[in-house]
Amino acid sequence: MSTMTSPLERLPGERTLTGWGRTAPSTAVVRAAMSVDDIRASITSAGGRGILARGLGRSYGDAAQSGGATVLDLSAMDRIELDVAAGTATVGAGVSLDAVMRALIPHGWFVPVTPGTRMVTVGGAIAADVHGKNHHRDGTFGSHVQSMTLVDGRGEVRVLDQVSTPTEFWATVGGMGLTGVITEATFDLIPITSSRISVDTVRTRDLDHVMDLMLSGDDAYRYSVAWVDSVHPSGRGVLTRGDHAGAERLTGAAAQDPLAFDPKVLASAPPLIPNGLVNPLTMRAFNEAWFRKAPKQRDGELQHIAEFFHPLDIVQDWNRAYGPQGFLQYQFAVPDAAGQLVGEALAALRGVGALSALTVLKRFGAANPGPLSFPQPGWTLAVDVPAGVDGLGPVLDRLDEQVLAAGGRLYLAKDSRMSPAMMAASYPRLAEWQRQRDAMDPDGVFTSDLARRLSL
Amino acid sequence: MMDALGEPQGVLVLGGSSEIAIATVLALPRGRLRRVVLAGRPSPALDEAVATLNKAMIPGVEVMDFDASDTSQHADVVDRAFDGGDIDVALLAFGLLGDQAAAEADPDAAVEVATVNYTGAVSVGLRVAARLRQQGHGTLVVLSSVAGDRARRSNFVYGSTKAGLDAFAQGLGDALHGTGARVLIVRPGFVRTKMTTGLDEAPMTIDPQDVAKIIVTALRKGKETVYAPGPLRFVMAGLKSVPRPLFRKLPL
Ligand SMILES: Cc1cc2nc3c(=O)[nH]c(=O)nc-3n(C[C@H](O)[C@H](O)[C@H](O)COP(=O)(O)OP(=O)(O)OC[C@H]3O[C@@H](n4cnc5c(N)ncnc54)[C@H](O)[C@@H]3O)c2cc1C
Ligand SMILES: NC(=O)c1ccc[n+]([C@@H]2O[C@H](COP(=O)([O-])OP(=O)(O)OC[C@H]3O[C@@H](n4cnc5c(N)ncnc54)[C@H](OP(=O)(O)O)[C@@H]3O)[C@@H](O)[C@H]2O)c1
C-alpha cells in the first residue's frame, strides 16, 4: 500500500447534496457544528471552496449546497426558549419549525410565519426570508425577528437587530447564507388558544373567479391561499382562507386538549411512492381528485394547524416521486397590474406538457427593507414541474422575460435555473446587497452553488 | 455551475480544434454558457474553431496553448482553466490516428501516437480529475474509440493506445465515484472528420454532429459509457467474442 494520499480519494464526511428538487448535485464535506466556537473555527480554517450553512435542504435548487466546500449542519444547536412575558422565542438556528411548533403550540404560542412545510430550520427561514399564507397581513419571517446572532466572514460573533444594525440585519434576511452563519434568533410569536384554524373554503370556477375573491376578500383573513388546477385550462381551483380558532369553538374530546399538536408522518417515500409516479396521467387524475374533494363552499370548518398549513408533510420524501431527473418549482412575484401573467404562465407550461400537482396562488403584502427579500406587493404563483420535460428551458426563459418586464422576480429559495442576467435585472438592489455582503465577508468565505451560478 | 435543466456554464476542451469537440460545444445547451476554454496547439484549425464558436455567438471563448505530448505544462494549463471559474464539462478530445504501416516501419512514429493518445491523456486526465473532484461536481468526457475494444491488425498501434486510455478512464471514473466528479467514456466508430479524411468509410459511419448529440444526451442522463452510434455497442460485443484465428481473417 502507498503511503501517499490521493487527491482523488473521498474525504471523511463528504456527501453529495441537492435541494428538494433533487437536481444538479454537488459534493461537499458536511460538518456538524456543535457550538459557536466550532463555527468560528470552521470559518477561520475554511479552504478555497469556502463554507456554507445548510438547514433541512428544503430549498428546491442549489441554495443549500456548495461543491467542494465545507457545509455546516447546525442541527445540534437546538435550544428552544420561550419568553412568555415578551411573547418571543429564542431558538437555535438548526431547530426546525416542526420542533418549535411541537414545543410551543401546547403552551399557546404559534410561529409568526410558516411556509408550506414545517421541515425548515429557523436559519433557513431567515436566510430565505420565507413567507406563509399570512404574508398579505404579517409579512415575512424575517420581519418578525427581534434579533439574531451571526458569525461573519471574519469569524466574529455579532448580534444583529432591525434598530441598531439594520444594514447587516436586512442583508442577512434573504441573504441566502452568504453574509454569515446564523446561530440563534429571537422572534415574535402569535398567541393562540387552540391548535385549530377556522377555515372557509370555496371551489373556484376559473382564474378570474379566484383572483376576484382574493382581491376583494383576503384582507378579512389572516391566512389565505389558492390551489389551482394546472391541468384544466380554466384554472379552476380551491380557495382556502382562515384564522386561528378560539378554544371555545372546540367541542367533545377536542375541547379537553384544545392545544394538542402531534402531527403524524408516514415514513419514507420509496415504499409508498414509486419512482416516476409523477406523469401526465397521474397528474390529470390528481388535479381532478383534488378539485372534486373540496366542498363547493364551506365556512368555519375547523382544521388542524398541520392539516391547514402543511398537508404535504404527511408523506416523507414525496419529492422522490418525480424520479431521477428531479423537478423544480417556478415561483414568481408580480405586481397586481401584471395579474394576467398567472394565466399566461399556466398556459405556457401546459403547452409543453409540464403538468403540476402543486400549483399555488397567493397575494403578497408590502415588501420589507431586505435587498434580496423576494415578496413584493401583488401576486405570487408557484408551480412544481418535472425537470425532464422537453422544451421546459425555453418556456421558462420566456416567462422570465415577461416576469422581468412586469417588474417581478423569482424566489431564490426555489430557483435552480434562472440566468445571472435575470437575477441582476430583477433584483435591482443586488449591487447594494453585494457591497453589504462584502463588508461582512471580505474574503468571500461564504459561497454556494447558487451564488456561483448566479454570480451573487 | 450546471443548472437543474443540465445547462452548463463552463466548458474546457483539451484538443481545442477537434471537430467532434467543437460539434459537441455547439450541441450543448447554450442558454447559460459563459466560458469555453479551447486548449490546443496553435494552428489554423484552432483559429477556425474559435471563429466557428464566435460565429455561433458562443460567449466567453478563450484559447490556451496546450500540447498533449508536453506533459510538463499540463499542470499549469489545467490550473489556469479551473482558476478562471468552475468547469462543468471537460472534453478530452485530442488524439492522433497515425499511420499503421508508417508506425511499424518507424517505431518513433508509433511512440508519438502512444505519447499523445495515452501518456498525454493520463497526464492531463489525472489533473483535470483532481480539479473536478476538488470543486465537487463536473464531468470529464473521454473520447475513446471502438478501436480500443479489440486490437485489429490494420491499426493496432492506435487501437492499443485507445484500449489503454479506455481502461484508464474506467478506473478514473470508479475512483471518482461519490466525489461529485464523473467520467463519461465515448466510443465512436468511424466519424467523418479531418482525422479520417481520405480513408475508406466503414459501415455505420457518422458525422461529428451525431457524436455530439449522443454526448449531450449522455451528459444529461448521467451515463458512464456510450457508443456512437449507439448500436455499435452490440457490434463490438459480437466482435469481441470472435475467436482470434477467425478474427485475424476478418477484413477489418
Ligand atoms: C414543500 C415545501 C413547501 C414550501 N413552502 C414555502 C412557502 O410557503 N413559503 C416559502 O417562503 N418557502 C417555502 N418553501 C421553501 C423553504 O421554506 C425555504 O427554502 C427554506 O429556506 C428552507 O429551509 P431549510 O432549513 O431547509 O434551509 P435550506 O434549504 O437548507 O437552506 C436555504 C438557505 O438558507 C441558508 N441557511 C440555512 N441555515 C442557515 C444558517 N444557520 N445561517 C445562515 N444561512 C443559513 C442556506 O445556506 C441556504 O442558502 C417550501 C419548501 C418545500 C419543500
Ligand atoms: N474521427 C473518428 O473517426 C474517431 C473515431 C473514434 C475516436 N475518435 C477520437 O475522437 C477524438 C477527436 O477526434 P476528431 O475526430 O475530432 O478528430 P480531429 O478533428 O482531428 O481532432 C483531433 C485533435 O487532436 C489534436 N491533437 C493531436 N495531437 C495533439 C497534441 N500533441 N496536443 C494537442 N492536441 C493534439 C489535433 O489538433 P492539432 O491540430 O494540433 O493536431 C486535433 O484537434 C480523438 O481522440 C480521436 O481519437 C475519432
Side-chain angles (χ1 to χ4, degrees):
Chain A
M1 281 303 284
S2 150
T3 51
M4 294 275 293
T5 6
S6 157
L8 305 183
E9 209 56 54
R10 282 186 73 174
L11 305 171
E14 203 164 31
R15 271 178 53 199
T16 297
L17 303 173
T18 70
W20 189 242
R22 302 177 73 224
T23 53
S26 70
T27 300
V29 173
V30 178
R31 187 180 297 166
M34 312 307 288
S35 65
V36 170
D37 283 342
D38 242 15
I39 294 169
R40 297 185 57 187
S42 291
I43 290 172
T44 46
S45 66
R49 298 288 296 180
I51 286 245
L52 184 71
R54 177 178 172 98
L56 282 165
R58 256 42 175 207
S59 40
Y60 275 67
D62 47 8
Q65 66 195 55
S66 184
T70 301
V71 168
L72 296 178
D73 169 357
L74 275 67
S75 48
M77 301 183 68
D78 59 356
R79 167 165 107 110
I80 303 180
E81 209 165 278
L82 171 65
D83 182 338
V84 176
T88 59
T90 299
V91 174
V95 176
S96 68
L97 291 190
D98 181 64
V100 173
M101 288 182 213
R102 286 176 195 271
L104 300 186
I105 289 175
H107 295 283
W109 298 98
F110 191 55
V111 294
V113 167
T114 175
T117 172
R118 291 184 304 280
M119 295 304 174
V120 304
T121 63
V122 168
I126 296 171
D129 197 20
V130 302
H131 56 271
K133 298 182 180 188
N134 54 343
H135 188 274
H136 61 290
R137 284 265 286 262
D138 299 332
T140 63
F141 191 91
S143 59
H144 298 279
V145 172
Q146 292 291 334
S147 72
M148 61 179 144
T149 308
L150 174 109
V151 188
D152 71 12
R154 294 189 185 87
E156 274 166 34
V157 181
R158 315 180 57 169
V159 178
L160 307 180
D161 65 54
Q162 302 188 29
V163 180
S164 51
T165 51
T167 307
E168 291 83 354
F169 180 92
W170 289 111
T172 300
V173 168
M176 303 309 286
L178 301 172
T179 60
V181 178
I182 304 160
T183 61
E184 191 171 88
T186 300
F187 52 87
D188 299 330
L189 298 170
I190 299 175
I192 52 175
T193 57
S194 89
S195 53
R196 307 299 199 281
I197 306 289
S198 173
V199 183
D200 293 355
T201 304
V202 192
R203 250 206 247 171
T204 48
R205 288 184 303 279
D206 52 30
L207 279 180
D208 285 345
H209 184 200
V210 72
M211 291 170 87
D212 281 349
L213 287 178
M214 292 174 88
L215 277 169
S216 59
D218 268 11
D219 288 347
Y221 295 90
R222 182 163 211 157
Y223 300 109
S224 166
V225 75
W227 169 84
V228 179
D229 182 339
S230 70
V231 176
H232 208 274
S234 65
R236 65 185 187 180
V238 181
L239 174 61
T240 49
R241 299 188 284 196
D243 284 281
H244 290 282
E248 73 286 351
R249 289 279 316 275
L250 275 57
T251 54
Q256 300 299 310
D257 188 4
L259 289 164
F261 185 80
D262 186 20
K264 299 282 180 286
V265 178
L266 302 177
S268 203
L272 269 171
I273 309 181
N275 236 352
L277 174 75
V278 174
N279 60 54
L281 213 70
T282 54
M283 284 306 92
R284 254 171 243 288
F286 177 87
N287 278 273
E288 184 71 28
W290 200 262
F291 181 75
R292 295 280 160 217
K293 155 179 141 352
K296 269 216 167 72
Q297 170 134 22
R298 180 169 57 196
D299 288 344
E301 180 202 1
L302 290 184
Q303 285 188 10
H304 204 272
I305 277 177
E307 181 188 0
F308 180 71
F309 289 107
H310 318 115
L312 294 165
D313 284 353
I314 293 174
V315 183
Q316 221 177 27
D317 299 338
W318 58 264
N319 55 337
R320 290 176 186 275
Y322 282 88
Q325 294 216 53
F327 69 116
L328 56 88
Q329 187 173 89
Y330 189 69
Q331 180 171 7
F332 63 76
V334 289
D336 280 335
Q340 86 289 347
L341 255 180
V342 170
E344 289 171 15
L346 292 174
L349 289 168
R350 262 198 315 276
V352 284
L355 304 182
S356 158
L358 201 79
T359 304
V360 170
L361 180 64
K362 249 209 66 59
R363 293 197 52 68
F364 275 156
N368 67 36
L372 295 191
S373 179
F374 164 65
Q376 58 173 24
W379 295 103
T380 183
L381 179 76
V383 193
D384 276 5
V385 280
V389 169
D390 277 335
L392 185 59
V395 164
L396 294 180
D397 284 348
R398 271 197 298 280
L399 285 174
D400 286 357
E401 280 169 29
Q402 288 175 273
V403 167
L404 179 62
R409 54 203 184 202
L410 306 184
Y411 190 9
L412 287 176
K414 309 289 177 71
D415 178 63
S416 56
R417 36 100 4 229
M418 80 165 127
S419 70
M422 171 70 185
M423 174 67 208
S426 59
Y427 283 87
R429 293 172 64 201
L430 176 61
E432 171 193 339
W433 174 84
Q434 282 168 332
R435 281 193 299 278
Q436 298 164 356
R437 185 267 320 266
D438 292 348
M440 296 173 77
D441 179 21
D443 300 324
V445 172
F446 301 111
T447 185
S448 62
D449 287 358
L450 174 95
R452 272 187 287 267
R453 179 170 58 81
L454 295 178
S455 306
L456 296 183
Chain B
M1 299 302 311
M2 195 72 112
D3 76 4
L5 302 179
E7 302 224 359
Q9 290 182 313
V11 175
L12 167 63
V13 180
L14 297 154
S17 58
S18 145
E19 289 181 45
I20 292 177
I22 294 304
T24 305
V25 172
L26 291 172
L28 283 168
R30 61 180 74 160
R32 301 292 180 268
L33 268 186
R34 57 177 163 202
R35 186 161 166 263
V36 178
V37 181
L38 300 185
R41 296 187 292 190
S43 72
L46 188 58
D47 296 341
E48 199 186 308
V50 173
T52 305
L53 296 188
N54 285 337
K55 206 173 131 214
M57 315 275 276
I58 301 288
V61 179
E62 289 172 32
V63 176
M64 286 182 189
D65 271 11
F66 166 74
D67 185 336
S69 52
D70 182 4
T71 56
S72 70
Q73 42 140 276
H74 289 187
D76 177 57
V77 173
V78 171
D79 282 344
R80 277 190 292 131
F82 280 82
D83 290 346
D86 282 18
I87 298 291
D88 302 308
V89 179
L91 297 162
L92 199 158
F94 56 83
L96 274 185
L97 183 55
D99 180 288
Q100 179 67 25
E104 288 170 22
D106 173 12
D108 287 343
V111 168
E112 196 199 347
V113 174
T115 304
V116 172
N117 293 3
Y118 182 73
T119 310
V122 168
S123 161
V124 80
L126 283 170
R127 292 181 160 100
V128 168
R131 290 299 302 252
L132 289 175
R133 188 251 160 292
Q134 225 175 48
Q135 66 178 21
H137 69 99
T139 304
L140 174 63
V141 180
V142 175
L143 268 300
S144 174
S145 168
V146 294
D149 271 4
R150 181 144 192 193
R152 284 179 290 143
R153 165 69 191 96
S154 58
N155 77 343
F156 67 83
V157 170
Y158 174 79
S160 66
T161 65
K162 289 296 187 182
L165 171 65
D166 200 288
F168 167 75
Q170 291 176 43
L172 189 61
D174 290 341
L176 292 174
H177 187 78
T179 66
R182 303 148 47 81
V183 174
L184 165 63
I185 300 173
V186 185
R187 298 187 188 132
F190 193 108
V191 187
R192 287 180 201 102
T193 65
K194 59 183 182 293
M195 180 177 277
T196 52
T197 309
L199 302 180
D200 293 339
E201 288 193 1
M204 305 175 85
T205 291
I206 55 176
D207 288 313
Q209 292 74 18
D210 302 317
V211 186
K213 260 191 230 141
I214 289 168
I215 293 176
V216 170
T217 308
L219 280 171
R220 200 169 72 162
K221 298 202 170 149
K223 288 252 165 81
E224 292 185 324
T225 315
V226 285
Y227 283 80
L232 265 182
R233 177 184 295 273
F234 309 108
V235 176
M236 294 318 295
L239 279 181
K240 273 195 277 190
S241 61
V242 175
R244 270 179 69 189
L246 178 58
F247 189 76
R248 220 175 270 147
K249 295 193 190 105
L250 291 179
L252 292 169

